[in-house]
Amino acid sequence: MTVATVAALLAALGGGLWLAARRFVGSRVQRLPSGRASGLMQGKTVLITGANCGLGRATAAELLRLGARVIMGCRDRARAEEAAGQLRRELSQAEGPRPDPDASAAGELIVKELDLASLRSVRAFCQELLQEEPRLDVLINNAGIFQCPYMKTEDGFEMQFGVNHLGHFLLTNLLLGLLKSSAPSRIVVVSSKLYKYGDINFEDLNSEQSYNKSFCYSRSKLANILFTRELARRLEGTNVTVNVLHPGIVRTNLGRHLNIPLLVKPLFNLVSWAFFKTPVEGAQTSVYLASSPEVEGVSGKYFGDCKEEELLPKAMDESVARKLWDISEVMVGLLK
């Protein structure tokens, strides 16, 4: 059998899988009808980290469609401005011509620079936000880095733990006062199913003794869940809720550090198009937790596909969650 024949068979198989997948999973997105959803988030301000691409961009688009005022907190301001321009054009085209130009149901979009790998940047961002914004209704901790080679943040933390956990830990704590004064308000944390393969090693949180990029990603996602549960405990009675989610397997550039062999890439791309969620599909649980009346007052829970899911015991360990919180406070400089 020639290489050309094998390639043709693989292409045919992939095409068949793609069609089958689209037939059975093409209707996964459960979006509110535009007429009913329009204005659901009117008057609400939402901050989304990492909103210029992938899940964050899709989340921003959906919440704009619901009328929210969306602040994009992004590391690369130029890319964020470009994404914001595209989002505005897409929304304008989706709405179509209106008799009154000011009658748009879509929300407002603001771009701000935020580098979660720099505690200095996080503090400067929060200082500016607190000076300019009278309220914050929803914070979505979405940005993340996935299985990168060993590198450190500006402050010397292992990059995945530093960005995925510590950067968001400081951001959330610095904005808690505004969230409380804006109550009822919500915090949404994006984790991953891969938390199951992580453990919190308090003896080597910075991965200086050993580094495995897959394990360190899983550990940062487990830290997201433990942080959410401990924060929910601390926020009881404040009318500020916090929940955590996994988006499923989504086609984004989060896996840019993965080394896929050149010959395998075409098949991988085909499989990803067939079976991975689109960013819009992956964003639905974030949008649900940020906007749905169904989860009003719900806090400290773990969601997938807009439904509550069970956690492994290690993700519900209260003593580990409290210890991680205490150590994180010291690492980011909230406590000396």
Side-chain angles (χ1 to χ4, degrees):
M1 186 177 292
T2 66
V3 173
T5 304
V6 172
L9 287 172
L10 286 174
L13 176 61
L17 288 172
W18 183 84
L19 288 171
R22 301 317 290 174
R23 179 182 297 272
F24 289 107
V25 303
S27 60
R28 280 181 297 200
V29 181
Q30 300 293 321
R31 296 165 78 174
L32 288 171
S34 57
R36 203 156 50 103
S38 179
L40 179 64
M41 294 293 286
Q42 201 80 44
K44 295 187 182 296
T45 297
V46 181
L47 167 59
I48 307 173
T49 65
N52 63 294
C53 61
L55 276 179
R57 185 187 186 282
T59 303
E62 293 291 282
L63 290 172
L64 281 168
R65 187 177 70 90
L66 300 180
R69 181 172 178 271
V70 175
I71 301 171
M72 302 169 66
C74 304
R75 180 178 58 84
D76 189 324
R77 189 179 186 95
R79 288 179 59 194
E81 292 285 6
E82 182 181 354
Q86 292 171 349
L87 283 169
R88 292 185 186 104
R89 288 191 292 274
E90 290 170 10
L91 282 168
S92 178
Q93 292 169 0
E95 286 189 314
R98 289 175 176 267
D100 180 0
D102 297 324
S104 173
E108 182 186 357
L109 195 57
I110 299 102
V111 173
K112 290 188 178 295
E113 188 173 332
L114 169 63
D115 184 358
L116 290 158
S118 164
L119 300 183
R120 174 182 50 81
S121 173
V122 174
R123 288 192 176 93
F125 171 87
C126 290
Q127 184 178 11
E128 181 180 311
L129 192 85
L130 292 172
Q131 289 174 347
E132 296 178 356
E133 299 296 332
R135 63 181 300 109
L136 179 61
D137 299 279
V138 183
L139 167 62
I140 303 180
N141 290 338
N142 166 84
I145 189 166
F146 178 73
Q147 296 191 11
C148 63
Y150 187 78
M151 58 182 80
K152 291 186 175 182
T153 68
E154 178 180 286
D155 305 278
F157 304 126
E158 185 275 311
M159 185 64 72
Q160 296 187 90
F161 190 74
V163 170
N164 298 352
H165 171 60
L166 291 174
H168 282 118
F169 179 88
L170 178 60
L171 177 77
T172 305
N173 273 281
L174 293 179
L175 296 177
L176 273 182
L178 184 57
L179 285 159
K180 288 177 181 178
S181 67
S182 307
S185 53
R186 304 181 184 190
I187 302 167
V188 178
V189 179
V190 179
S191 182
S192 166
K193 278 187 174 182
L194 293 177
Y195 87 86
K196 298 174 182 178
Y197 306 103
D199 288 296
I200 305 296
N201 178 8
F202 289 109
E203 302 303 315
D204 190 28
L205 283 177
N206 216 28
S207 303
E208 292 175 336
Q209 297 173 18
S210 65
Y211 181 72
N212 178 291
K213 62 183 182 180
S214 300
F215 167 78
C216 286
Y217 177 75
S218 295
R219 180 173 63 188
S220 73
K221 295 290 103 178
L222 175 59
N224 288 157
I225 298 172
L226 292 167
F227 162 68
T228 298
R229 290 179 58 80
E230 175 62 12
L231 180 57
R233 185 185 71 80
R234 291 169 180 253
L235 288 174
E236 287 177 4
T238 64
N239 216 8
V240 180
T241 62
V242 54
N243 291 291
V244 62
L245 67 101
H246 74 81
I249 306 176
V250 186
R251 296 195 302 272
T252 71
N253 68 349
L254 188 65
R256 59 190 177 277
H257 294 293
L258 293 178
N259 294 316
I260 301 170
L262 190 62
L263 293 175
V264 178
K265 272 191 175 180
L267 186 58
F268 174 82
N269 291 338
L270 202 59
V271 170
S272 70
W273 273 102
F275 294 103
F276 292 8
K277 290 180 179 180
T278 66
V280 172
E281 290 170 337
Q284 293 308 302
T285 307
S286 293
V287 175
Y288 173 75
L289 291 176
S291 64
S292 176
E294 294 178 5
V295 288
E296 186 174 345
V298 176
S299 194
K301 304 301 182 182
Y302 175 66
F303 287 80
D305 291 325
C306 302
K307 298 186 295 292
E308 187 179 338
E309 296 188 1
E310 292 186 2
L311 286 165
L312 294 180
K314 66 180 176 182
M316 298 187 291
D317 191 317
E318 293 183 2
S319 63
V320 172
R322 292 183 188 187
K323 185 175 181 179
L324 178 63
W325 183 284
D326 292 342
I327 291 175
S328 298
E329 280 187 318
V330 175
M331 292 178 80
V332 302
L334 288 174
L335 288 181
K336 303 297 183 186

